[in-house]
Amino acid sequence: MSIVQQLQQAVVKSLNNLYNQLFTEKDFQINLTKPEFEGDYTVVLFAILKQTGKTPDALGQELGAKLTQDYPTLFTQYNIIKGFLNLTVADDFWLQLLHKNYNDICYGKHAMNGKRVMVEYSSPNTNKPLHLGHLRNNFLGWSVAEILKAYGYEVFKSCIVNDRGIHICKSMIAWQLFANGATPQSTNAKGDHFVGQYYVKFNEEHKRQIAELVATGKTEKEAEKETPIMLATQQMLYDWEAGKPEVMKLWHEMNAWVYEGFDVTYKNIGSDFDKTYYESNTYLLGKKIVDLGLEKNVFMRKEDTSVWIDLTADGLDEKLVLRKDGTSVYITQDIGLAQQKYDEYNINESIYVIGDEQNYHMKVLKLIAQKLGVGAANAIHHLSYGMVELTTGKMKSREGTVVDADDLVQEMIDTSRKHTEELGKVKDFTENELVELYNTIGLGALKFYLLRVDPKKRMVFNATESIDFHGFTGPFVQYTYARIRSILRKEVYDASKPISSTLLKNEKEIMVALEQYPSVIAESAKELDPSKVAIYIFNVAKTFNSFYAELSISKAESEEKKQLRLQLAMMTANILKNGMQLLGANVPERM
RNA sequence: GACUUGGUAGCUCAGCUGGAUAGAGCAUCAGCCUUCUAAGCUGAGGGUCAUUGGUUCGAAUCCAAUCCAGGUCACCA
């Protein structure tokens, strides 16, 4: 139980005893005491004045006296300032917490809750390489999965690969037209980048052909649908659905190139999945669902034989779920997949990490799933995240203004090498150790940068800021960890030695911060928001750095103080490491 | 137009289940390395919390309206 919960209970009990009325934790607020006042936690009294009929001062006095009297092991002092009751928590309380947990690498982790959850993220298209937006998605998905594990869930990570459809055919057509049989091997290119080039080429050629048609008097809209290259692409999609051998062969071949490239990227950024679904396998799933829906009268068939659902009662529109030619649409496939996930993994909750442009779609998906009685439909959560914009404007694949994921990762690693070399602190590292260090720092910086802001908000990617390694950044946290490790290599905590029983200001500050970790994980898990963890570990690191600047560990004023500070350092290091891991980032022993 | 998300320091963001003088980082300026790693620490300046009205002891936070920006409203995925 957290300190705040303990305080709440104590206050509730005391109030009930004092005034013989029923109070609950919701009747008042407990906050951290502002640094300019004496105390650790503050009870805000205004809300309970009316109920007690007391003045702020009288209520504060009575409650403060009662609390210190009834809970001498919890509170040592109190003071009242204008309706705020500031309570000082006993050093002993903090010390017991520290002694119990200083070397517990599981501190903060919650007990298993018996629930199974699937986190779907990444969802790449096999016609182009991953870009900055995918990185936000991947980091979020991974991190949320880790945070949910820490909160007690059994987590399954899944990925749906969009490996079929008109956009895939675009790359294929362009390859046929322009590649002259070139392959990633023959051009020494990474597979996904190689295929991505042809997607760009398609759009260039398409644009050129539109201009030609417009010159002959067609409107822009007509021209878009009638260019020879677009007609060929549509024919190819038709052939693909018919299973035409030479199209299937090319499709397999090009997708294989892309997967080879993705494997490298995923390995570099540390993403993996327990289950990968391919749309080419799932796109037929919706059919069964449609039959079920018709049977249950959730869906209705129109005269042209297309199938619809009427969501007007829910404030939405009528939505198509099956085309008149009998092929399923996106939403239908998704419902089918939702059911399949449930059948295969028996999940209680299902989380989709998908951009906020699909908010409406996900709302519809959940609604239909609920109406159909798809498993765990009520526990479908859309982790909706905002687009990543550049300082120069939006990213657009077709206009070549995307930030490529591989390039960005490499740039971060290069920058970390540059910084590290300038500082010259690890000159004795082997080449392998250096490579690992640069990776740790570069990726740590990137992940922290993308995860430190509220997922649902749009964010601006500032290239110079992202490679800054000072302040509110991953390397700042990593550096703090490395500094602690450096101390712990020289000074060893000895449990047989006596330990200080009082806390100085800086010692208590770090202790107050460390105590919050389990609550932060809980909050972060409930909100599906890794930024809470990022902000928290930054704050822990900052607090420790002040402590470090103010008080020496190896040259502590007494042996008792040294032992105490070693415990504090160990517990801080554990939390920093653990917290960074929840963000998918590592920490180095030295940097 | 309808629905939806946002607007807080020069920039990027916290704070939003109402509480004390609105916080960080970057940038700017001034200090701190013969003492555990200066990727650090300490301090200064910088704000009409988009605007207006309301609710109340108290509003950045809740409500309403307005303005601005993003997203969605496809037989695309």
Side-chain angles (χ1 to χ4, degrees), chain A residues 13-31:
Chain A
K13 250 189 191 166
S14 299
L15 284 172
N16 288 347
N17 286 341
L18 276 173
Y19 306 111
N20 205 19
Q21 296 180 47
L22 219 59
F23 292 88
T24 70
E25 301 91 63
K26 286 180 183 152
D27 293 330
F28 55 89
Q29 267 187 12
I30 293 186
N31 304 327

Side-chain angles (χ1 to χ4, degrees), chain A residues 304-469:
Chain A
D304 67 355
T305 72
S306 61
V307 180
W308 296 71
I309 182 165
D310 183 359
L311 297 174
T312 50
D314 300 283
L316 306 175
D317 304 319
E318 288 190 351
K319 298 294 292 184
L320 177 93
V321 292
L322 194 73
R323 298 187 186 100
K324 65 185 174 196
D325 64 4
T327 57
S328 62
V329 293
Y330 183 48
I331 192 91
T332 329
Q333 302 164 28
D334 269 3
I335 297 161
L337 184 56
Q339 181 66 52
Q340 185 170 334
K341 283 177 177 177
Y342 179 75
D343 293 341
E344 286 180 4
Y345 287 89
N346 192 24
I347 48 177
N348 305 93
E349 289 181 38
S350 191
I351 292 166
Y352 294 76
V353 183
I354 300 177
D356 60 9
E357 68 223 346
Q358 295 198 38
N359 284 352
Y360 182 75
H361 175 262
M362 290 306 295
K363 207 167 151 185
V364 171
L365 172 67
K366 181 167 179 173
L367 207 50
I368 298 180
Q370 284 173 321
K371 287 181 191 291
L372 284 174
V374 166
N378 291 325
I380 286 176
H381 303 288
H382 177 198
L383 200 184
S384 164
Y385 64 93
M387 294 292 104
V388 184
E389 285 175 25
L390 305 178
T391 43
T392 51
K394 281 189 193 169
M395 291 199 294
K396 284 182 181 150
S397 309
R398 291 177 191 180
E399 292 170 24
T401 55
V402 293
V403 174
D404 180 76
D406 295 319
D407 292 349
L408 182 58
V409 168
Q410 193 53 50
E411 195 187 332
M412 296 299 285
I413 292 171
D414 289 345
T415 307
S416 75
R417 178 167 48 85
K418 203 177 118 238
H419 279 251
T420 306
E421 282 170 358
E422 274 168 14
L423 292 168
K425 293 178 183 177
V426 288
K427 287 183 174 155
D428 56 319
F429 272 32
T430 65
E431 194 52 39
N432 282 344
E433 287 171 329
L434 285 173
V435 166
E436 194 188 329
L437 179 64
Y438 302 150
N439 263 292
T440 300
I441 298 173
L443 275 170
L446 186 57
K447 290 181 180 185
F448 197 96
Y449 181 81
L450 288 175
L451 290 174
R452 71 183 197 183
V453 303
D454 187 339
K456 63 177 177 292
K457 287 197 180 176
R458 244 180 311 146
M459 71 178 289
V460 176
F461 181 82
N462 181 320
T464 48
E465 196 182 282
S466 72
I467 55 176
D468 189 355
F469 289 176

